[in-house]
Amino acid sequence: MARLIQFLLSPPSRLVRLAAGEKRIACTVAPAGDNHAHLPVWEEQDGRRLSGIWAILDHLENTYPEPSLLPEDAEERGEALRLLDWAMTVFHEDVTRRIVFEKATPAQTGSTSRRPPNMEIIRAGRTALRTSLPQLGALAEARGCLAGRQLSLADLALGAHLSALDYYGEIPWTELPTLTEWYYRLKSRPSFRSLLADRVPGQPPVPHYAELDF
Amino acid sequence: MARLIQFLLSPPSRLVRLAAGEKRIACTVAPAGDNHAHLPVWEEQDGRRLSGIWAILDHLENTYPEPSLLPEDAEERGEALRLLDWAMTVFHEDVTRRIVFEKATPAQTGSTSRRPPNMEIIRAGRTALRTSLPQLGALAEARGCLAGRQLSLADLALGAHLSALDYYGEIPWTELPTLTEWYYRLKSRPSFRSLLADRVPGQPPVPHYAELDF
């Protein structure tokens, strides 16, 4: 069986688990511990080893092509990759790092910071979050999934981030009915189950985190 | 002709210019100005528009397949993508952001910070830089190029970062003969010419920045 070395609440790790889940690839998960190297790492049973989401997603898509997580249509494919890139750079920087990486322990995110949570940073993250979410809701409403009608890496990448934020109850769902409907569909997929079972020691999730009826 | 909307010293923008150059795709370059959105943006003459390096590099590789910037061999391809991902996440975070984004003006990098350069951050970046460079030199010595014998996105991604650092004279070349030899070969390629012509207003580069004999 394949093995994933990961940080529990780190979006790149969550994205790989979702992608593997959609392709029905069984994998065991190993915590990264104090090894704050370039993660996540994907190890195939035959010894092949991939580091970082660029290499891992490319490997999964080439080795396990069904179902594809990238649309065939060039425009929709470009849009899926735009949203994937945006989630892992702009949204990560402006929102997830400021909220999840402040609240969680370094062992859960791979952050190298050892200082206590800074409320000013968390508040700046919340402001950026409230700017971004309605745009995502509008995409989901217009298209069904974020990049088009087909589930793609865009949905999984944003799902990876929003699920980590939702662990701490940071998403104002009641203000966002369209996005809630999209997230509910995503959260109900079998690939999401392992994420909903995650528990950070000493930091239980908000009650609705793992609920499929909210 | 295609058009690239970019930040002059931002590694993702430099990487796209290098990739386009290797594929001999002519493009004009437009500064991003105050638009600190999700950049770089690549616009084809027919109106197709790609945002972020994931979408742009995928588009360039599919639309202009020759020469390919990803090795055919699966292991070498995984290694090229590992280094690409590492350059754009770990190295960017630990080194380039701490040095180049502190020294340059926001208009050159897309940084949203408006405070003066923080010497403590720059020093931390230099420490991380000195840890990383010998590893890259060892790869170049063992393999010729960073991921193998063939030039790939790994070389261009690291070239994008090191060239921005070199603009400010931050690379201790004399301590790193193997890496210097690799960088000299890269810098001599026609794709590198447009980067060497870059000038930040009010901040001339160190004298050796654009020299091909150093």
Side-chain angles (χ1 to χ4, degrees):
Chain A
M1 200 187 290
R3 191 168 88 114
L4 180 72
I5 306 170
Q6 65 143 17
F7 297 112
L8 200 66
L9 288 181
S10 167
S13 303
R14 303 197 136 213
L15 168 56
V16 170
R17 283 157 73 194
L18 290 174
E22 287 296 325
K23 289 173 179 293
R24 304 187 194 290
I25 311 164
C27 73
T28 58
V29 161
D34 284 339
N35 170 11
H36 289 199
H38 183 205
L39 290 178
V41 166
W42 179 270
E43 294 175 340
E44 291 283 348
Q45 197 154 11
D46 64 9
R48 277 176 297 170
R49 192 183 158 92
L50 290 304
S51 297
I53 52 171
W54 215 310
I56 296 173
L57 294 176
D58 181 77
H59 166 74
L60 295 183
E61 199 65 13
N62 290 335
T63 314
Y64 311 92
E66 294 297 331
S68 173
L69 298 173
L70 280 174
E72 262 190 55
D73 174 74
E75 194 176 327
E76 217 172 300
R77 181 182 174 99
E79 180 64 357
L81 293 173
R82 174 183 81 82
L83 286 161
L84 167 63
D85 193 280
W86 179 80
M88 306 322 278
T89 58
V90 180
F91 191 85
H92 182 77
E93 203 53 50
D94 291 352
V95 179
T96 310
R97 177 187 295 280
R98 287 177 175 160
I99 300 178
V100 176
F101 283 47
E102 285 297 315
K103 289 190 157 190
T105 58
Q108 310 307 331
T109 61
S111 163
T112 48
S113 163
R114 288 280 182 276
R115 56 166 177 68
N118 179 329
M119 270 313 293
E120 209 176 311
I121 294 176
I122 292 176
R123 272 194 292 268
R126 286 176 181 156
T127 303
L129 176 66
R130 277 169 187 267
T131 309
S132 301
L133 292 178
Q135 300 165 14
L136 294 174
L139 289 181
E141 181 163 29
R143 295 167 173 175
C145 289
L146 291 182
R149 291 208 337 229
Q150 182 194 329
L151 182 91
S152 74
L153 288 175
D155 303 280
L156 304 186
L158 266 311
H161 281 273
L162 297 195
S163 64
L165 289 157
D166 194 41
Y167 189 93
Y168 292 110
E170 289 285 345
I171 316 269
W173 294 116
T174 52
E175 301 169 22
L176 301 153
T178 328
L179 193 69
T180 304
E181 201 268 321
W182 165 84
Y183 188 68
Y184 178 76
R185 273 187 285 129
L186 196 62
K187 194 174 165 178
S188 306
R189 297 180 75 87
S191 67
F192 229 85
R193 274 182 212 145
S194 90
L195 270 58
L196 301 183
D198 284 346
R199 293 295 176 272
V200 177
Q203 292 187 331
V206 294
H208 71 250
Y209 173 70
E211 276 168 22
L212 288 180
D213 178 20
F214 66 132
Chain B
M1 201 188 288
R3 191 168 89 114
L4 179 72
I5 306 171
Q6 65 143 17
F7 297 112
L8 201 66
L9 287 181
S10 168
S13 303
R14 303 197 137 215
L15 168 56
V16 170
R17 283 157 74 195
L18 290 173
E22 287 297 326
K23 290 173 179 292
R24 303 188 195 291
I25 311 163
C27 73
T28 58
V29 161
D34 284 339
N35 170 11
H36 288 197
H38 183 205
L39 290 177
V41 166
W42 179 269
E43 294 175 340
E44 290 283 348
Q45 197 154 12
D46 63 10
R48 277 176 296 169
R49 193 183 158 90
L50 289 305
S51 296
I53 52 170
W54 215 311
I56 296 172
L57 294 176
D58 181 76
H59 166 74
L60 295 182
E61 198 66 14
N62 290 333
T63 313
Y64 311 92
E66 295 296 332
S68 173
L69 298 173
L70 280 174
E72 263 190 57
D73 174 74
E75 193 176 329
E76 216 173 301
R77 181 183 174 100
E79 180 64 356
L81 292 173
R82 174 184 81 81
L83 286 162
L84 167 62
D85 193 280
W86 180 80
M88 306 321 278
T89 58
V90 180
F91 191 85
H92 181 77
E93 204 54 51
D94 291 353
V95 179
T96 310
R97 178 187 294 280
R98 287 176 174 161
I99 300 178
V100 176
F101 283 48
E102 285 297 315
K103 289 190 157 191
T105 59
Q108 310 308 332
T109 60
S111 162
T112 49
S113 163
R114 289 281 182 277
R115 56 167 178 67
N118 179 330
M119 269 315 292
E120 208 176 311
I121 294 176
I122 293 176
R123 272 193 293 267
R126 285 175 181 156
T127 303
L129 176 67
R130 276 170 189 266
T131 309
S132 301
L133 292 178
Q135 299 165 14
L136 294 174
L139 290 182
E141 181 163 29
R143 296 169 172 173
C145 289
L146 291 183
R149 290 206 339 227
Q150 182 194 328
L151 181 91
S152 74
L153 288 175
D155 303 280
L156 305 187
L158 267 310
H161 280 274
L162 296 195
S163 65
L165 289 156
D166 193 42
Y167 188 92
Y168 292 112
E170 289 286 345
I171 316 268
W173 294 116
T174 52
E175 301 168 23
L176 301 152
T178 328
L179 193 69
T180 304
E181 202 268 321
W182 164 84
Y183 188 68
Y184 179 76
R185 273 187 284 130
L186 196 63
K187 195 174 165 179
S188 306
R189 297 179 76 86
S191 68
F192 228 85
R193 275 183 212 145
S194 90
L195 270 58
L196 301 183
D198 283 346
R199 293 295 177 273
V200 177
Q203 292 187 331
V206 295
H208 71 251
Y209 172 69
E211 276 168 22
L212 289 179
D213 178 21
F214 66 133

